[in-house]
Amino acid sequence: MKKNCSIIIEARMNSSRLPGKVLYKSKNITMIHLMLKRLKRSKKVKQIILATTKNKKDNKLVNSIKLPVKFFRGSENNVIHRVLSAAKKYNVEHIVKICGDSPLIDVKIVDKMINLYFMHKPDYMSNNMKKTFPDGMDIEIFPYSTLEKSYHISKTNLNKEHVTYFIRKSNLFKKLNIKANKKNFFPKLKLTLDTYNDYIFLENNLFVAK
């Protein structure tokens, strides 16, 4: 039986460096659709929630998704409130947070980390406190209660924009960092979609990733 563990993806059209990047296409598939398609293979999560904004530009993003995922639309700038509200709406007890600029995210890494999370039961777990995985394989897992506590304690703009900023810096939480094995040890490899050059690189390598 799947535990009450859900993936929440932060995604929006109004990216400052590459606007509309989540809907860039390669081989007739958008980057966000590719990401969702890969994550739908997870055997460990109850649901996938796309947490986007109330900005009208994100209507296009929401309308483009044909896969069976949940949606939440919230604040554009207060991202921690958006993620927390999405989790609350869908009764999520444990959050797997992934950014929408990671189209090549590996669901095997996601499921393995979920297993480790429930085995060790930290307040916060990630694979990027010390970089060993490629950039674009970043996964954070934590209880709803951890994020709620962080939200009520820290009201800084950094914590509003970077959802787990306070959690990662604070000594109030028990944290666990997962290191890559030999197969996945590529800390200098960039697989995120931040710039147009990233898009060209990803497009040229998608044939091995779908």
Side-chain angles (χ1 to χ4, degrees):
M1 187 173 118
K2 291 179 181 176
K3 297 180 185 288
N4 191 345
C5 178
S6 299
I7 294 171
I8 298 183
I9 301 169
E10 305 159 21
R12 63 190 180 109
M13 292 290 289
N14 205 22
S15 166
S16 56
R17 283 182 287 184
L18 190 63
K21 63 184 182 181
V22 288
L23 294 187
Y24 273 44
K25 284 187 176 182
S26 178
K27 300 173 179 66
N28 209 34
I29 186 170
T30 64
M31 294 291 152
I32 191 67
H33 187 274
L34 173 63
M35 182 180 180
L36 291 170
K37 188 178 176 182
R38 292 168 69 79
L39 288 173
K40 287 294 288 183
R41 297 172 186 157
S42 172
K43 297 178 174 63
K44 301 294 178 180
V45 299
K46 184 178 178 182
Q47 58 196 340
I48 298 175
I49 304 161
L50 185 64
T52 189
T53 84
K54 294 179 180 178
N55 190 316
K56 289 182 180 179
K57 291 181 180 178
D58 287 317
N59 292 347
K60 189 174 181 181
L61 169 59
V62 172
N63 293 334
S64 74
I65 307 299
K66 306 304 178 188
L67 293 170
V69 299
K70 304 288 178 62
F71 293 96
F72 180 84
R73 300 187 70 168
S75 172
E76 186 163 14
N77 298 316
N78 194 340
V79 190
I80 188 172
H81 185 267
R82 191 200 318 164
V83 173
L84 196 62
S85 299
K88 185 175 182 179
K89 178 178 179 178
Y90 293 108
N91 301 308
V92 179
E93 292 181 11
H94 302 278
I95 299 168
V96 180
K97 191 182 87 65
I98 303 174
C99 290
D101 58 6
S102 306
L104 301 189
I105 192 75
D106 189 336
V107 73
K108 290 180 181 178
I109 298 174
V110 174
D111 281 358
K112 183 177 181 181
M113 283 188 60
I114 291 171
N115 282 339
L116 290 170
Y117 168 79
F118 283 109
M119 184 186 302
H120 294 284
K121 300 179 180 177
D123 297 317
Y124 171 86
M125 188 176 89
S126 81
N127 61 353
N128 62 8
M129 282 188 281
K130 182 176 180 182
K131 294 292 293 184
T132 53
F133 286 86
D135 192 12
M137 295 295 158
D138 295 353
I139 301 156
E140 299 173 283
I141 311 177
F142 43 87
Y144 174 91
S145 58
T146 291
L147 191 62
E148 186 179 41
K149 185 175 182 178
S150 167
Y151 175 74
H152 288 302
I153 293 174
S154 176
K155 302 295 184 181
T156 67
N157 287 333
L158 273 172
N159 203 42
K160 289 176 182 177
E161 182 181 355
H162 305 285
V163 176
T164 57
Y165 179 82
F166 179 75
I167 297 169
R168 292 164 69 96
K169 297 292 183 182
S170 173
N171 292 323
L172 295 174
F173 306 100
K174 182 176 73 172
K175 288 165 275 194
L176 177 63
N177 184 66
I178 302 302
K179 296 179 181 179
N181 56 23
K182 279 187 178 181
K183 179 183 175 182
N184 295 305
F185 189 89
F186 293 98
K188 295 183 179 179
L189 178 61
K190 189 176 189 298
L191 298 176
T192 49
L193 178 58
D194 295 314
T195 67
Y196 189 75
N197 285 339
D198 293 339
Y199 167 66
I200 296 301
F201 175 79
L202 292 174
E203 185 180 26
N204 290 336
N205 289 280
L206 284 187
F207 70 94
V208 297
K210 288 185 181 179

